[in-house]
Amino acid sequence: MTPPPEMPKNVPLQLDDFFLSTLHIEWVPIPTEGDFQFQSVNLRLTYELKSHSEKKNAYQMALKMEGEEVCEKAPGSGLNFNATIVGQYRIEGVESPQQEAILARINGVSLLYSTFRGILGSVSGAFQSGRFSLPSIDPRAIVADVEMKNAAKAKELEEVTNKSDPVPIL
């Protein structure tokens, strides 16, 4: 019998805890007559990431998700949800601050989305429609999209702030 491979001493990202701060799930019945099938899921994700003020390499991410099933023949029917899952985690053994920032975002989205995917599957299994499975995502694409939107908002805010007229002193 061969011994098991040696495990790495430092796991780069360790999820310490998670909790749901928002969870709303609604199932709207499908009309009973006709052939109704859901074509896709509209899914919107965003996140807020904070680093701990005292603990080095400690983060908290709030992943906000909204989604609904899409059926062209029966708009508004199917499963709709709105949720926020918050995770607290540490990143260890990463020397570059830039690499740590990327890991904090991409791996945070991946961990929290997959955790919520299991929660939603379990809860929706009690609905009349049966278990609902969220689609797979590419966390890198989600992070790129959120960061691009955040940069655009910051630039817009800076432009508005710089263009505003000074307040006259009375």
Side-chain angles (χ1 to χ4, degrees):
M1 177 186 254
T2 60
E6 188 174 320
M7 298 300 288
K9 295 186 184 349
N10 289 329
V11 176
L13 190 135
Q14 180 67 45
L15 181 64
D16 292 324
D17 200 5
F18 73 90
F19 57 90
L20 292 168
S21 63
T22 306
L23 179 60
H24 176 85
I25 304 171
E26 177 181 22
W27 183 74
V28 179
I30 302 166
T32 55
E33 294 186 24
D35 182 23
F36 296 97
Q37 293 196 355
F38 293 101
Q39 288 82 29
S40 63
V41 176
N42 279 340
L43 186 61
R44 294 166 302 285
L45 302 173
T46 188
Y47 62 82
E48 293 176 15
L49 180 67
K50 297 177 182 177
S51 58
H52 198 283
S53 61
E54 296 174 11
K55 295 179 183 175
K56 186 180 178 192
N57 306 339
Y59 295 89
Q60 177 172 293
M61 177 179 278
L63 181 63
K64 299 175 183 184
M65 297 165 280
E66 292 180 11
E68 62 273 336
E69 290 181 295
V70 177
C71 178
E72 291 176 9
K73 293 182 181 178
S77 61
L79 189 118
N80 304 300
F81 69 91
N82 175 358
T84 302
I85 185 169
V86 179
Q88 299 165 342
Y89 51 92
R90 292 171 283 123
I91 298 177
E92 298 176 1
V94 179
E95 295 180 21
S96 161
Q98 293 83 5
Q99 188 180 24
E100 183 173 306
I102 292 168
L103 273 175
R105 287 164 176 77
I106 294 173
N107 288 356
V109 167
S110 181
L111 273 172
L112 295 176
Y113 183 81
S114 62
T115 300
F116 180 70
R117 193 175 185 196
I119 292 168
L120 184 60
S122 296
V123 172
S124 65
F127 284 60
Q128 185 178 4
S129 59
R131 186 176 187 279
F132 177 81
S133 183
L134 282 172
S136 296
I137 61 166
D138 178 358
R140 295 169 300 176
I142 301 297
V143 168
D145 182 58
V146 169
E147 294 302 318
M148 187 172 65
K149 287 177 182 174
N150 287 346
K153 285 179 188 175
K155 184 178 180 182
E156 183 180 306
L157 181 61
E158 183 180 327
E159 289 173 359
V160 169
T161 304
N162 290 339
K163 287 183 180 180
S164 64
D165 295 328
V167 178
I169 300 175
L170 303 176

